[in-house]
Amino acid sequence: MNASFFQELGLFDCAVLQWIGSDKFKVLHDNDTWFTDLFSNKTQGDICVLNNEPFFLVDFLYDANEFWTLKADGRISSGIWSEQTEGNLLRLEASAIFSKGNAYLVLFNMEGEFNKRQGTLQSARELLLSNDKVLEQHDLIRARVESLTSGAERQESSLLKLRNVADNAEFGIAIFDKDMCSLHQNPALYNLFEMQAPEEPSNLLLDLCRDQFPELQRILLTGSLWNGELYWLKPPALSRWLQLTICPLKNEMGDNLFWLFLITDITREKYLKQSNEKLTYFDSLTNLPNRQYFWQYLERLVGINQDFYVMILDVKHLKRTNEAFGFAAGDIVLKEIVSRIAPLLNTNDIFSRIGGNEFAVIIRDVSQHRCKLIADNMISVVSEPYYVLEQCQCNVGLSIGAAHYPEDGVSAEDLMKYADLASFSAKQNIKSSIQFYSTDLKDDALKRMDLESALREAIEKEQFELYLQPILDLASGRIVQAEVLLRWDRPGVGMVSPAEFIPVAEQTGLIVTIGKWVIKEAISLLMDLHRQHKYIKLSVNLSPAQVSDNGLLNFIKKSIVSSEIDASYLELELTEGVLVNDFDRISEFLVELRALGITIAIDDFGTGYSSLSYLQKLPIDFLKIDQSFIFELIGNDSNQAIVQAIIGMAKSLKLKVIAEGVETEAQRDLLKEYCCQFVQGYLFSKPLEYKAFCALLNT
């Protein structure tokens, strides 16, 4: 063997062994001490028997023997492994080569390549951390401009403030109006796309988004926040990867004022990933295939013309975990989600991470029923508690959208678009769920848009009305309180159920404006009742979005001061879930309300949070037993035990109890036997218009 032969094979720092047969090899070449260290002083011309050690190499020889028996020119490789000898830790790679009728085993010393790859991986990890900082910067700038627009009286002044912020930002910012017409592009965006006025980088940006994101239409229609990556190629040789955040900026009415596009160059990170194949196609946090791999696989699978389902999995409430415990905790949760879902899938299924809190799955050759069972199992395992950072508990949910090939779509783009639409529909449910794509989803989306538009008109024209449902003292039978309920008589349509319009109001943010109107109107009713010398308490529900509104407390204070009512006649109802989402902030909020004299009730009690420690820590006055327990109270030992336990616990904590949904005398009598203090329900009265309620009080 001469040096030219090894050079022809591309071999330098290596050892070459010729396969003689079975597990015997003849040493043809060795050029470093590491080989003799590994094989007990074997040198050129010696015979090596590899039947036991090194273990990793012997394992590779099973594949090598099969390859050599084919007698076809070529090579296969083992990948790098570590081997500890007496004197050194070696980084080795083996190749089985068949050339010109001979079989060879070549061992490479990969120390240099290993160190290079480790350096690349470390650099990429550092850049991935910096990418998290990019997203944090995007969030900070978004929060800042949202505060600017919410405080501006006119759209023109909002835009002026936006421009001032954008022009001083280090990354690209494009501002569009609600119809996606360009309003402003900052200097950094011109630099990013290497353009100069009168060129419009915002037009190029929109073209890239339309070409690369099938979700764009849904994002714009629903006014959603979104993060993703763009690729831009400028012939002949310039290309860039861009981190993109799209966020809507709305006024207090929930109307879109502007669209904000935030763009940061992440090309360096991408090129580092491309220098290592694993980083190119796999997510570094979860080791799952990434969005690029998933799209390529999906496009190939479409060409095979075989049945499969595409599922998009959206992790709910992850932002809450990040805000409470930091991004490190969120990463722990994401990795744990992967470890829980992966065992539920077959080896020929594809499980991929395609976004920050989004995963995608391809399941082949299954019925819709089987697909739903798999999705339900995913939801079940993901909903179990997570323990992060010294055993702090957090919970997340899962919304799943699914589209079927070829029934729903025959292109990768359509399948992803439809699965995304189904996922968005699933996210509208409070509980985790799966939604399969159907043409009805399109119709529902159009109906939702129509309902949203009508809601905005209802706010402007004050088409809402407050109904009151009496709450009675069970011992005396007197009306002592009433729950305020919102009703909407839509012109040309009639009464719209709150179950239909309240979720839309919450999803669009309109509930904040509607909620303030309800509080203001409830205070007006209290003033009128007091003028009639009718002193009863009115109870108003607060949604999670209202509680998150930083301006709510100040609004309530001003409303009470201006009306000069006794605040002890106003009660606010919150659900258990609202209380525990941000315990410290909610605790401070409730203490402030109590200082005003307002009482606090927990609505739908018994259906929410499992830990009841907050009952002792928060200033709470009433527990409202959820009506689901009252409906089946008679003849149901389990429900009776729950109701008795709630009443007993409330008594020990000096809290009052209201039972909702009382419809029969038998329910009333049993609640009286359990010493429940207050009741409401159709047995006593349905919700009434204000005049009818006043008439009832008079009788």
Side-chain angles (χ1 to χ4, degrees):
M1 281 286 151
N2 55 41
S4 64
F5 175 77
F6 301 117
Q7 190 167 356
E8 180 184 340
L9 294 177
L11 314 178
F12 296 98
D13 187 5
C14 64
V16 182
L17 294 78
Q18 185 172 7
W19 184 47
I20 300 174
S22 185
D23 52 7
K24 293 182 180 179
F25 296 84
K26 182 178 180 180
V27 180
L28 300 181
H29 172 77
D30 69 283
N31 65 351
D32 207 333
T33 55
W34 60 265
F35 178 77
T36 55
D37 193 18
L38 184 65
F39 289 105
S40 303
N41 298 316
K42 296 290 184 182
T43 60
Q44 186 171 325
D46 291 341
I47 301 297
C48 286
V49 179
L50 305 179
N51 60 3
N52 207 355
E53 293 183 349
F55 176 79
F56 193 93
L57 180 59
V58 172
D59 187 58
F60 171 66
L61 288 179
Y62 287 106
D63 294 329
N65 280 316
E66 290 185 10
F67 170 70
W68 287 324
T69 54
L70 296 175
K71 299 187 184 227
D73 287 358
R75 66 190 290 172
I76 61 171
S77 297
S78 65
I80 298 176
W81 85 91
S82 300
E83 195 72 49
Q84 181 68 60
T85 67
E86 290 185 6
N88 295 296
L89 177 63
L90 304 176
R91 313 290 186 183
L92 303 174
E93 183 175 40
S95 286
I97 298 175
F98 195 87
S99 176
K100 302 176 182 178
N102 293 308
Y104 302 97
L105 177 66
V106 184
L107 304 179
F108 297 89
N109 180 6
M110 301 295 289
E111 185 69 25
E113 179 65 19
F114 178 82
N115 291 335
K116 178 182 174 184
R117 291 191 187 186
Q118 288 302 105
T120 300
L121 284 167
Q122 183 58 34
S123 298
R125 290 188 188 102
E126 291 171 359
L127 276 169
L128 285 171
L129 290 175
S130 71
N131 193 44
D132 285 340
K133 292 179 182 177
V134 166
L135 291 176
E136 287 185 57
Q137 289 172 353
H138 284 196
D139 280 342
L140 286 172
I141 198 82
R142 177 175 60 85
R144 183 179 174 191
V145 297
E146 281 181 344
S147 66
L148 290 175
T149 54
S150 64
E153 295 181 1
R154 301 198 319 271
Q155 185 165 329
E156 294 81 3
S157 62
S158 295
L159 182 58
L160 181 60
K161 292 178 180 180
L162 275 177
R163 285 175 171 169
N164 290 335
V165 172
D167 287 344
N168 290 290
E170 296 181 357
F171 49 82
I173 297 180
I175 305 170
F176 300 90
D177 68 11
K178 62 180 181 179
D179 299 316
M180 294 309 294
C181 296
S182 177
L183 297 176
H184 186 67
Q185 300 128 97
N186 71 341
L189 188 66
Y190 279 93
N191 293 336
L192 201 61
F193 287 112
E194 299 194 353
M195 289 184 176
Q196 294 182 346
E199 293 178 294
E200 295 278 345
S202 58
N203 292 337
L204 173 59
L205 179 60
L206 278 182
D207 288 341
L208 292 174
C209 290
R210 293 188 185 104
D211 291 341
Q212 298 180 36
F213 298 129
E215 306 101 315
L216 183 64
Q217 183 180 11
R218 189 265 300 168
I219 293 165
L220 299 180
L221 282 174
T222 58
S224 304
L225 175 69
W226 189 84
N227 290 299
E229 294 177 359
L230 283 172
Y231 178 71
W232 172 54
L233 174 63
K234 181 179 181 181
L238 179 61
S239 64
R240 286 195 173 127
W241 281 96
L242 308 171
Q243 178 70 51
L244 170 67
T245 297
I246 302 175
C247 51
L249 300 177
K250 303 179 180 182
N251 61 16
E252 288 192 353
M253 294 287 292
D255 297 316
N256 259 31
L257 293 177
F258 310 106
W259 283 97
L260 199 66
F261 282 52
L262 312 175
I263 309 98
T264 301
D265 188 348
I266 55 169
T267 306
R268 185 180 167 215
E269 173 198 336
K270 282 293 183 179
Y271 283 167
L272 272 170
K273 286 183 177 183
Q274 290 167 3
S275 67
N276 184 292
E277 184 176 358
K278 184 175 181 181
L279 287 175
T280 304
Y281 293 108
F282 290 82
D283 174 58
S284 59
L285 176 67
T286 62
N287 288 324
L288 291 178
N290 60 18
R291 186 184 184 97
Q292 184 178 355
Y293 181 99
F294 184 84
W295 268 93
Q296 292 181 6
Y297 186 91
L298 179 59
E299 287 174 339
R300 288 198 302 270
L301 196 57
V302 165
I304 297 175
N305 195 27
Q306 190 179 55
D307 277 11
F308 63 87
Y309 278 93
V310 175
M311 304 167 70
I312 290 183
L313 286 54
D314 187 278
V315 181
K316 303 171 69 172
H317 314 311
L318 185 65
K319 184 180 179 183
R320 182 193 305 166
T321 300
N322 287 332
E323 290 174 348
F325 305 110
F327 282 98
D331 288 347
I332 292 171
V333 171
L334 285 171
K335 289 192 283 189
E336 178 65 21
I337 287 172
V338 172
S339 69
R340 295 182 187 186
I341 290 178
L344 304 177
L345 302 173
N346 293 326
T347 53
N348 64 339
D349 297 334
I350 292 295
F351 185 21
S352 173
R353 186 186 182 200
I354 61 171
N357 64 334
E358 277 192 329
F359 297 88
V361 174
I362 293 176
I363 300 179
R364 302 168 67 173
D365 300 322
V366 295
S367 64
Q368 186 179 100
H369 176 70
R370 177 62 182 161
C371 182
K372 185 179 186 307
L373 288 177
I374 295 171
D376 288 341
N377 288 336
M378 291 178 183
I379 291 169
S380 178
V381 298
V382 168
S383 65
E384 294 295 322
Y386 298 82
Y387 297 92
V388 298
L389 305 182
E390 300 180 356
Q391 297 303 299
C392 294
Q393 180 178 320
C394 58
N395 295 81
V396 298
L398 202 61
S399 297
I400 303 177
H404 179 258
Y405 175 89
E407 183 178 343
D408 296 329
V410 293
S411 71
E413 182 178 350
D414 282 347
L415 289 167
M416 287 294 284
K417 181 166 65 177
Y418 296 153
D420 176 75
L421 179 61
S423 174
F424 179 77
S425 176
K427 278 190 283 187
Q428 311 316 310
N429 297 324
I430 296 175
K431 294 184 177 180
S432 298
S433 62
I434 177 173
Q435 175 71 58
F436 289 92
Y437 173 77
S438 68
T439 53
D440 290 341
L441 281 182
K442 282 186 177 179
D443 297 336
D444 290 342
L446 292 173
K447 288 178 183 177
R448 181 185 177 281
M449 291 173 61
D450 177 61
L451 188 60
E452 181 182 339
S453 176
L455 268 175
R456 297 182 191 280
E457 184 178 350
I459 294 171
E460 292 173 4
K461 297 182 178 180
E462 295 192 353
Q463 295 171 355
F464 298 111
E465 185 178 357
L466 295 187
Y467 276 45
L468 303 178
Q469 185 171 31
I471 298 174
L472 282 73
D473 181 315
L474 193 50
S476 67
R478 292 176 53 236
I479 297 174
V480 293
Q481 191 172 335
E483 181 177 358
V484 174
L485 299 168
L486 186 65
R487 294 294 182 263
W488 178 24
D489 188 359
R490 182 178 174 184
V493 176
M495 298 298 290
V496 182
S497 168
E500 184 178 351
F501 73 83
I502 292 295
V504 175
E506 289 178 338
Q507 293 152 19
T508 58
L510 293 174
I511 194 67
V512 174
T513 304
I514 294 173
K516 289 179 178 178
W517 180 87
V518 170
I519 292 171
K520 184 179 71 173
E521 198 67 14
I523 289 175
S524 295
L525 296 185
L526 275 174
M527 293 170 63
D528 189 66
L529 286 168
H530 291 179
R531 280 193 291 269
Q532 300 177 48
H533 304 289
K534 296 181 173 69
Y535 295 96
I536 66 167
K537 189 189 297 286
L538 294 187
S539 184
V540 176
N541 290 280
L542 293 183
S543 76
Q546 285 178 271
V547 177
S548 299
D549 178 19
N550 293 328
L552 178 63
L553 182 62
N554 192 44
F555 174 81
I556 294 173
K557 286 180 179 179
K558 287 183 177 179
S559 299
I560 289 174
V561 170
S562 62
S563 66
E564 299 182 348
I565 66 161
D566 182 346
S568 65
Y569 287 97
L570 179 64
E571 180 171 282
L572 297 177
E573 295 185 18
L574 302 88
T575 61
E576 292 177 89
V578 172
L579 295 178
V580 298
N581 283 348
D582 190 350
F583 185 87
D584 292 336
R585 193 180 68 80
I586 294 298
S587 178
E588 184 179 339
F589 174 66
L590 295 186
V591 169
E592 292 273 6
L593 292 177
R594 257 295 188 79
L596 296 173
I598 296 171
T599 56
I600 309 298
I602 306 305
D603 195 18
D604 301 333
F605 187 79
T607 61
Y609 196 54
S610 58
S611 172
L612 303 177
S613 60
Y614 68 86
L615 292 178
Q616 296 174 303
K617 299 175 183 177
L618 296 176
I620 296 168
D621 303 283
F622 288 86
L623 299 181
K624 299 190 74 172
I625 303 175
D626 186 71
Q627 59 186 2
S628 62
F629 298 113
I630 306 302
F631 285 157
E632 299 182 8
L633 185 62
I634 305 303
N636 189 317
D637 293 341
S638 176
N639 277 10
Q640 289 177 13
I642 291 172
V643 170
Q644 282 183 289
I646 292 173
I647 294 172
M649 178 184 61
K651 184 178 180 181
S652 66
L653 294 172
K654 295 181 173 55
L655 302 176
K656 298 171 184 175
V657 176
I658 301 171
E660 299 180 284
V662 180
E663 296 186 351
T664 68
E665 294 181 356
Q667 292 168 347
R668 177 200 62 192
D669 294 343
L670 199 54
L671 288 166
K672 194 169 186 177
E673 181 183 325
Y674 294 159
C675 299
C676 179
Q677 295 129 310
F678 305 99
V679 288
Q680 77 180 93
Y682 278 24
L683 175 64
F684 312 105
S685 173
K686 65 181 181 179
L688 300 170
E689 294 177 287
Y690 178 63
K691 288 183 180 179
F693 177 78
C694 290
L696 182 64
L697 282 180
N698 291 331
T699 60

